[in-house]
Protein backbone atom coordinates (compact mmCIF):
# COMPACT_ATOMS: atom_id res chain seq x y z
CA UNK A 1 0.00 0.00 0.00
CA UNK A 2 1.01 3.67 -0.09
CA UNK A 3 3.10 4.92 2.76
CA UNK A 4 3.56 8.49 3.90
CA UNK A 5 6.95 10.21 4.15
CA UNK A 6 9.64 9.14 6.62
CA UNK A 7 9.41 10.78 10.01
CA UNK A 8 10.63 10.43 13.60
CA UNK A 9 8.81 8.37 16.18
CA UNK A 10 9.13 6.88 19.64
CA UNK A 11 8.46 3.26 20.63
CA UNK A 12 6.00 3.35 23.53
CA UNK A 13 4.96 -0.33 23.67
CA UNK A 14 5.73 -3.69 22.15
CA UNK A 15 3.29 -6.43 21.16
CA UNK A 16 4.98 -9.44 19.62
CA UNK A 17 5.82 -8.49 16.03
CA UNK A 18 4.16 -5.10 16.30
CA UNK A 19 5.05 -1.92 18.12
CA UNK A 20 3.17 1.21 19.09
CA UNK A 21 4.90 4.25 17.71
CA UNK A 22 4.10 7.75 18.84
CA UNK A 23 4.53 10.34 16.10
CA UNK A 24 7.04 13.00 17.13
CA UNK A 25 6.52 15.48 14.28
CA UNK A 26 3.97 16.93 11.91
CA UNK A 27 0.20 17.12 12.35
CA UNK A 28 0.07 13.63 13.88
CA UNK A 29 2.40 14.54 16.76
CA UNK A 30 1.35 12.65 19.88
CA UNK A 31 -0.81 10.16 17.98
CA UNK A 32 -0.10 6.44 18.25
CA UNK A 33 0.37 4.11 15.27
CA UNK A 34 0.51 0.31 15.34
CA UNK A 35 3.59 -0.49 13.28
CA UNK A 36 5.35 -3.41 11.68
CA UNK A 37 9.12 -3.51 11.44
CA UNK A 38 11.19 -3.87 8.28
CA UNK A 39 13.04 -7.17 8.47
CA UNK A 40 16.48 -5.58 8.37
CA UNK A 41 16.18 -3.83 11.76
CA UNK A 42 17.43 -5.64 14.84
CA UNK A 43 15.29 -5.82 17.94
CA UNK A 44 13.47 -2.68 18.98
CA UNK A 45 12.46 -1.87 22.53
CA UNK A 46 10.34 0.63 24.38
CA UNK A 47 12.12 3.97 24.48
CA UNK A 48 13.77 3.49 21.08
CA UNK A 49 13.61 6.38 18.65
CA UNK A 50 12.81 5.29 15.13
CA UNK A 51 12.26 6.50 11.59
CA UNK A 52 8.88 5.30 10.33
CA UNK A 53 6.34 5.83 7.58
CA UNK A 54 2.63 6.12 8.27
CA UNK A 55 0.23 3.81 6.44
CA UNK A 56 -3.56 3.53 6.46
CA UNK A 57 -5.74 3.90 9.56
CA UNK A 58 -3.22 4.42 12.36
CA UNK A 59 -0.74 1.84 11.11
CA UNK A 60 2.78 2.23 9.80
CA UNK A 61 6.13 0.69 9.02
CA UNK A 62 9.34 1.25 10.94
CA UNK A 63 12.27 1.65 8.57
CA UNK A 64 15.19 2.44 10.88
CA UNK A 65 16.24 2.61 14.49
CA UNK A 66 18.09 5.71 15.70
CA UNK A 67 21.26 5.34 17.71
CA UNK A 68 20.62 4.51 21.38
CA UNK A 69 22.01 6.49 24.27
CA UNK A 70 21.82 3.45 26.52
CA UNK A 71 20.07 0.14 26.87
CA UNK A 72 18.68 -1.90 29.74
CA UNK A 73 19.11 -5.59 29.09
CA UNK A 74 18.23 -8.70 31.02
CA UNK A 75 19.06 -12.34 30.48
CA UNK A 76 16.43 -14.71 29.14
CA UNK A 77 15.98 -18.22 30.59
CA UNK A 78 19.09 -19.36 28.72
CA UNK A 79 21.28 -16.55 29.99
CA UNK A 80 21.38 -14.60 26.72
CA UNK A 81 21.01 -10.86 27.18
CA UNK A 82 17.82 -9.39 25.77
CA UNK A 83 17.18 -5.67 25.38
CA UNK A 84 14.33 -4.35 27.55
CA UNK A 85 14.23 -0.56 27.28
CA UNK A 86 16.34 2.20 25.76
CA UNK A 87 17.25 5.86 26.21
CA UNK A 88 16.71 6.12 29.94
CA UNK A 89 17.90 9.25 31.74
CA UNK A 90 18.09 7.78 35.22
CA UNK A 91 17.35 4.77 37.35
CA UNK A 92 15.44 5.73 40.48
CA UNK A 93 16.44 3.22 43.13
CA UNK A 94 13.73 3.23 45.80
CA UNK A 95 14.60 2.24 49.36
CA UNK A 96 12.61 2.51 52.58
CA UNK A 97 12.99 2.12 56.35
CA UNK A 98 10.60 -0.86 55.98
CA UNK A 99 11.47 -3.34 54.53
CA UNK A 100 14.92 -2.67 55.88
CA UNK A 101 17.40 -1.77 53.13
CA UNK A 102 19.73 -4.56 52.27
CA UNK A 103 23.17 -3.00 51.64
CA UNK A 104 24.09 -5.70 49.24
CA UNK A 105 20.95 -5.24 47.18
CA UNK A 106 21.54 -1.50 46.84
CA UNK A 107 25.07 -2.21 45.67
CA UNK A 108 23.86 -4.71 43.08
CA UNK A 109 21.46 -2.15 41.66
CA UNK A 110 24.26 0.41 41.58
CA UNK A 111 26.54 -2.01 39.70
CA UNK A 112 23.78 -2.37 37.12
CA UNK A 113 23.49 1.41 36.89
CA UNK A 114 27.23 1.87 36.44
CA UNK A 115 27.59 -0.90 33.87
CA UNK A 116 24.73 0.45 31.72
CA UNK A 117 26.01 4.02 32.15
CA UNK A 118 22.59 5.15 33.36
CA UNK A 119 22.90 7.36 36.46
CA UNK A 120 21.17 6.13 39.61
CA UNK A 121 19.29 8.31 42.09
CA UNK A 122 18.58 6.82 45.51
CA UNK A 123 15.06 7.73 46.63
CA UNK A 124 14.25 7.06 50.26
CA UNK A 125 10.50 6.47 50.49
CA UNK A 126 8.32 6.14 53.62
CA UNK A 127 10.03 8.98 55.46
CA UNK A 128 6.93 8.93 57.69
CA UNK A 129 8.26 5.67 59.14
CA UNK A 130 11.55 7.16 60.30
CA UNK A 131 11.78 7.09 64.10
CA UNK A 132 14.37 7.18 66.86
CA UNK A 133 14.96 3.47 66.39
CA UNK A 134 15.98 3.56 62.73
CA UNK A 135 17.02 7.17 62.05
CA UNK A 136 20.72 6.71 62.68
CA UNK A 137 21.00 3.59 60.57
CA UNK A 138 19.24 5.27 57.63
CA UNK A 139 21.27 8.46 57.91
CA UNK A 140 24.50 6.46 57.95
CA UNK A 141 23.40 4.52 54.89
CA UNK A 142 22.42 7.63 52.94
CA UNK A 143 25.62 9.42 53.93
CA UNK A 144 27.66 6.52 52.58
CA UNK A 145 26.07 6.74 49.13
CA UNK A 146 26.05 10.52 49.15
CA UNK A 147 29.79 10.56 49.76
CA UNK A 148 30.19 8.30 46.73
CA UNK A 149 28.51 11.01 44.67
CA UNK A 150 25.05 9.49 44.27
CA UNK A 151 22.08 11.84 44.28
CA UNK A 152 19.84 11.20 47.29
CA UNK A 153 16.19 12.24 47.56
CA UNK A 154 13.51 11.57 50.16
CA UNK A 155 9.74 11.27 49.95
CA UNK A 156 6.64 9.65 51.33
CA UNK A 157 4.19 8.09 48.92
CA UNK A 158 1.55 7.69 51.63
CA UNK A 159 -0.86 10.09 49.93
CA UNK A 160 -3.86 10.08 47.60
CA UNK A 161 -3.50 8.77 44.04
CA UNK A 162 -2.64 11.63 41.72
CA UNK A 163 -1.25 13.68 44.61
CA UNK A 164 2.38 13.46 43.67
CA UNK A 165 5.06 14.81 45.96
CA UNK A 166 6.89 17.93 44.73
CA UNK A 167 10.26 16.28 45.31
CA UNK A 168 9.31 13.30 43.11
CA UNK A 169 7.77 15.58 40.47
CA UNK A 170 11.00 17.55 40.34
CA UNK A 171 12.99 14.34 40.03
CA UNK A 172 11.08 12.96 37.05
CA UNK A 173 10.28 16.23 35.26
CA UNK A 174 11.61 16.36 31.71
CA UNK A 175 13.42 13.03 32.03
CA UNK A 176 12.84 9.41 31.15
CA UNK A 177 12.79 7.48 34.41
CA UNK A 178 12.58 3.88 35.56
CA UNK A 179 11.85 2.87 39.15
CA UNK A 180 13.67 -0.12 40.63
CA UNK A 181 14.07 -1.53 44.13
CA UNK A 182 13.23 -4.41 46.38
CA UNK A 183 9.64 -5.50 46.83
CA UNK A 184 7.58 -3.50 49.33
CA UNK A 185 9.57 -0.26 49.28
CA UNK A 186 6.73 1.61 47.56
CA UNK A 187 7.49 1.67 43.83
CA UNK A 188 3.86 1.03 42.84
CA UNK A 189 2.68 3.63 45.34
CA UNK A 190 5.02 6.28 43.95
CA UNK A 191 4.08 5.43 40.37
CA UNK A 192 0.42 5.64 41.37
CA UNK A 193 0.92 9.22 42.54
CA UNK A 194 2.44 10.05 39.15
CA UNK A 195 0.02 8.01 37.00
CA UNK A 196 -3.37 8.19 38.68
CA UNK A 197 -5.17 6.49 35.77
CA UNK A 198 -5.32 2.90 36.92
CA UNK A 199 -5.59 1.47 33.42
CA UNK A 200 -2.20 2.90 32.55
CA UNK A 201 -0.31 1.18 35.31
CA UNK A 202 1.70 -1.93 34.64
CA UNK A 203 0.92 -3.76 37.85
CA UNK A 204 -2.80 -3.01 37.67
CA UNK A 205 -3.87 -5.89 35.45
CA UNK A 206 -1.97 -8.62 37.24
CA UNK A 207 -3.14 -7.31 40.62
CA UNK A 208 -6.81 -7.39 39.69
CA UNK A 209 -6.65 -10.85 38.13
CA UNK A 210 -4.82 -12.12 41.18
CA UNK A 211 -2.00 -13.47 39.06
CA UNK A 212 1.61 -13.02 40.10
CA UNK A 213 3.19 -9.62 39.79
CA UNK A 214 6.09 -11.16 37.91
CA UNK A 215 4.33 -11.43 34.59
CA UNK A 216 6.22 -11.17 31.34
CA UNK A 217 4.52 -7.91 30.39
CA UNK A 218 6.87 -5.90 28.23
CA UNK A 219 7.92 -2.40 29.11
CA UNK A 220 5.59 0.51 28.41
CA UNK A 221 6.34 4.20 28.17
CA UNK A 222 4.01 6.69 29.84
CA UNK A 223 3.98 10.46 29.58
CA UNK A 224 3.78 12.20 32.93
CA UNK A 225 1.54 15.20 33.54
CA UNK A 226 4.37 17.48 34.56
CA UNK A 227 6.48 16.53 31.51
CA UNK A 228 8.85 13.60 31.36
CA UNK A 229 8.32 9.92 30.73
CA UNK A 230 8.18 6.78 32.79
CA UNK A 231 9.13 3.37 31.41
CA UNK A 232 7.78 0.56 33.52
CA UNK A 233 7.35 -3.21 33.55
CA UNK A 234 7.58 -5.88 36.24
CA UNK A 235 10.91 -6.94 34.72
CA UNK A 236 12.35 -3.44 34.91
CA UNK A 237 11.47 -3.13 38.57
CA UNK A 238 13.75 -6.09 39.26
CA UNK A 239 16.45 -4.75 36.99
CA UNK A 240 19.98 -5.39 38.16
CA UNK A 241 19.35 -8.46 40.25
CA UNK A 242 20.78 -10.94 37.84
CA UNK A 243 24.05 -12.22 36.52
CA UNK A 244 27.03 -9.90 36.52
CA UNK A 245 30.60 -10.54 35.51
CA UNK A 246 33.62 -9.81 37.75
CA UNK A 247 34.53 -7.01 35.32
CA UNK A 248 31.10 -5.42 35.72
CA UNK A 249 31.44 -5.75 39.46
CA UNK A 250 34.83 -3.99 39.53
CA UNK A 251 33.52 -1.27 37.25
CA UNK A 252 30.25 -1.02 39.17
CA UNK A 253 31.81 -0.05 42.51
CA UNK A 254 32.90 3.40 41.45
CA UNK A 255 35.39 3.89 44.32
CA UNK A 256 36.93 0.43 43.87
CA UNK A 257 37.36 0.60 40.11
CA UNK A 258 40.41 2.94 40.21
CA UNK A 259 42.13 0.61 42.69
CA UNK A 260 42.01 -2.45 40.47
CA UNK A 261 45.49 -3.07 39.07
CA UNK A 262 47.22 -1.56 42.11
CA UNK A 263 47.31 -4.76 44.13
CA UNK A 264 50.67 -6.31 45.00
CA UNK A 265 50.01 -9.47 43.02
CA UNK A 266 48.70 -9.43 39.50
CA UNK A 267 46.45 -12.40 40.12
CA UNK A 268 44.95 -10.82 43.26
CA UNK A 269 41.42 -12.06 43.79
CA UNK A 270 40.55 -9.00 45.93
CA UNK A 271 39.13 -11.29 48.59
CA UNK A 272 41.40 -10.24 51.43
CA UNK A 273 44.53 -11.39 49.56
CA UNK A 274 47.88 -10.11 50.90
CA UNK A 275 48.81 -6.76 49.38
CA UNK A 276 45.32 -6.15 48.00
CA UNK A 277 44.89 -2.45 47.24
CA UNK A 278 41.26 -2.66 48.33
CA UNK A 279 42.25 -3.74 51.84
CA UNK A 280 44.88 -0.99 52.05
CA UNK A 281 42.31 1.61 50.98
CA UNK A 282 39.77 0.36 53.52
CA UNK A 283 42.37 0.36 56.32
CA UNK A 284 43.29 3.95 55.41
CA UNK A 285 39.63 4.97 55.51
CA UNK A 286 39.60 5.80 51.79
CA UNK A 287 36.79 3.39 51.02
CA UNK A 288 33.91 2.25 53.20
CA UNK A 289 34.40 -1.12 54.93
CA UNK A 290 30.70 -1.86 54.37
CA UNK A 291 31.06 -1.38 50.65
CA UNK A 292 34.18 -3.54 50.56
CA UNK A 293 32.34 -6.23 52.49
CA UNK A 294 29.49 -6.02 50.03
CA UNK A 295 31.93 -6.21 47.10
CA UNK A 296 33.50 -9.31 48.68
CA UNK A 297 30.12 -10.92 49.17
CA UNK A 298 28.97 -10.44 45.60
CA UNK A 299 32.36 -11.60 44.29
CA UNK A 300 32.28 -14.64 46.54
CA UNK A 301 28.73 -15.55 45.47
CA UNK A 302 29.88 -15.25 41.90
CA UNK A 303 32.92 -17.45 42.42
CA UNK A 304 30.93 -20.12 44.23
CA UNK A 305 28.25 -20.17 41.58
CA UNK A 306 30.84 -20.40 38.85
CA UNK A 307 32.51 -23.27 40.66
CA UNK A 308 29.20 -25.06 40.70
CA UNK A 309 28.80 -24.34 37.01
CA UNK A 310 25.72 -22.22 37.53
CA UNK A 311 25.04 -18.70 36.48
CA UNK A 312 24.42 -16.12 39.17
CA UNK A 313 20.92 -14.78 39.02
P1 LIG B 1 6.45 -2.06 45.75
O1 LIG B 1 6.48 -3.53 45.99
O2 LIG B 1 7.82 -1.48 45.78
O3 LIG B 1 5.71 -1.67 44.50
O4 LIG B 1 5.69 -1.41 47.00
P2 LIG B 1 4.17 -0.92 47.13
O5 LIG B 1 3.96 0.36 46.41
O6 LIG B 1 3.27 -2.05 46.81
O7 LIG B 1 4.11 -0.59 48.69
C1 LIG B 1 4.27 -1.57 49.68
C2 LIG B 1 3.51 -1.12 50.93
O8 LIG B 1 4.09 0.07 51.46
C3 LIG B 1 2.06 -0.80 50.66
O9 LIG B 1 1.30 -1.30 51.75
C4 LIG B 1 2.02 0.71 50.62
O10 LIG B 1 0.78 1.23 51.02
C5 LIG B 1 3.09 1.08 51.62
N1 LIG B 1 3.69 2.38 51.37
C6 LIG B 1 4.11 2.88 50.18
N2 LIG B 1 4.64 4.11 50.34
C7 LIG B 1 4.53 4.40 51.66
C8 LIG B 1 4.93 5.53 52.45
O11 LIG B 1 5.47 6.53 51.99
N3 LIG B 1 4.69 5.43 53.79
C9 LIG B 1 4.11 4.35 54.36
N4 LIG B 1 3.90 4.36 55.69
N5 LIG B 1 3.73 3.27 53.64
C10 LIG B 1 3.94 3.30 52.32
ZN1 LIG C 1 43.28 -6.98 45.19
Amino acid sequence: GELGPEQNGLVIAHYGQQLDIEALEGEDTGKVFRCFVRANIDSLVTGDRVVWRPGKSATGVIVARCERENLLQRPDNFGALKPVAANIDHIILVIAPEPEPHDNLIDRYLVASESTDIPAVILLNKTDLINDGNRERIETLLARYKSLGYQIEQTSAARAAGQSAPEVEALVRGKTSVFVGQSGVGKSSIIQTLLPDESLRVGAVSESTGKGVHTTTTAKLFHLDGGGDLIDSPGIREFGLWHMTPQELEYGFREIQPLIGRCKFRNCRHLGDPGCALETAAAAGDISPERLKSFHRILQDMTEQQARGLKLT
Side-chain angles (χ1 to χ4, degrees):
E2 317 102 64
L3 292 173
E6 291 190 353
Q7 53 178 287
N8 290 305
L10 172 67
V11 178
I12 61 166
H14 201 293
Y15 307 94
Q17 297 302 307
Q18 291 174 306
L19 299 106
D20 275 351
I21 298 299
E22 182 183 311
L24 293 179
E25 57 182 314
E27 57 187 26
D28 288 330
T29 299
K31 286 194 189 145
V32 178
F33 295 75
R34 186 60 60 92
C35 292
F36 280 103
V37 187
R38 284 256 171 93
N40 59 344
I41 309 173
D42 65 1
S43 63
L44 289 166
V45 290
T46 301
D48 264 326
R49 306 223 159 214
V50 296
V51 177
W52 69 289
R53 299 177 64 183
K56 285 189 191 128
S57 54
T59 64
V61 176
I62 300 166
V63 297
R65 172 169 66 72
C66 305
E67 206 174 308
R68 288 169 175 151
E69 270 173 50
N70 54 49
L71 183 63
L72 283 192
Q73 302 186 90
R74 65 170 302 160
D76 62 17
N77 293 337
F78 306 101
L81 283 179
K82 285 184 62 181
V84 173
N87 301 322
I88 293 148
D89 289 318
H90 57 198
I91 293 169
I92 301 175
L93 167 46
V94 184
I95 63 169
E98 292 289 329
E100 193 173 329
H102 199 302
D103 289 6
N104 202 250
L105 208 55
I106 295 175
D107 293 328
R108 282 174 181 270
Y109 280 118
L110 293 177
V111 170
S113 145
E114 298 287 343
S115 62
T116 49
D117 253 337
I118 306 173
V121 179
I122 298 177
L123 176 62
L124 174 71
N125 184 36
K126 309 195 192 183
T127 49
D128 55 299
L129 297 185
I130 295 176
N131 55 43
D132 289 344
N134 60 23
R135 182 172 291 110
E136 200 183 318
R137 183 173 48 77
I138 293 163
E139 281 175 358
T140 306
L141 183 83
L142 294 182
R144 184 188 311 151
Y145 292 102
K146 194 168 181 213
S147 73
L148 289 170
Y150 290 106
Q151 183 185 345
I152 311 284
E153 301 293 340
Q154 309 197 14
T155 192
S156 171
R159 53 181 73 227
Q163 299 280 300
S164 50
E167 60 275 10
V168 176
E169 279 174 24
L171 189 56
V172 298
R173 189 173 301 135
K175 298 207 163 138
T176 301
S177 306
V178 297
F179 286 89
V180 306
Q182 76 193 70
S183 182
V185 294
K187 297 179 296 298
S188 311
S189 307
I190 295 169
I191 290 169
Q192 193 169 336
T193 67
L194 293 168
L195 284 180
D197 184 348
E198 212 172 322
S199 63
L200 294 178
R201 294 198 307 272
V202 167
V205 177
S206 50
E207 276 163 30
S208 60
T209 59
K211 291 197 182 134
V213 185
H214 305 293
T215 53
T216 52
T217 321
T218 59
K220 283 193 182 174
L221 184 146
F222 305 98
H223 296 308
L224 301 171
D225 279 350
D229 297 329
L230 167 68
I231 300 184
D232 194 29
S233 78
I236 282 178
R237 293 180 186 190
E238 299 174 346
F239 171 70
L241 303 182
W242 50 72
H243 175 83
M244 46 180 105
T245 64
Q247 289 72 32
E248 278 171 332
L249 189 61
E250 289 166 6
Y251 184 78
F253 278 69
R254 51 169 64 168
E255 74 281 35
I256 285 179
Q257 197 246 332
L259 301 172
I260 301 294
R262 297 199 190 168
C263 305
K264 188 165 180 200
F265 300 107
R266 262 198 350 157
N267 61 352
C268 184
R269 293 166 311 141
H270 320 302
L271 285 170
D273 305 29
C276 179
L278 279 47
E279 302 297 329
T280 314
D286 293 339
I287 64 173
S288 128
E290 287 83 5
R291 283 270 289 179
L292 181 57
K293 204 171 122 199
S294 173
F295 178 85
H296 280 164
R297 230 187 89 187
I298 303 173
L299 194 59
Q300 221 147 17
D301 281 355
M302 211 177 259
T303 317
E304 281 165 21
Q305 302 256 352
Q306 263 165 3
R308 290 207 303 267
L310 299 168
K311 75 174 198 290
L312 181 67
T313 52

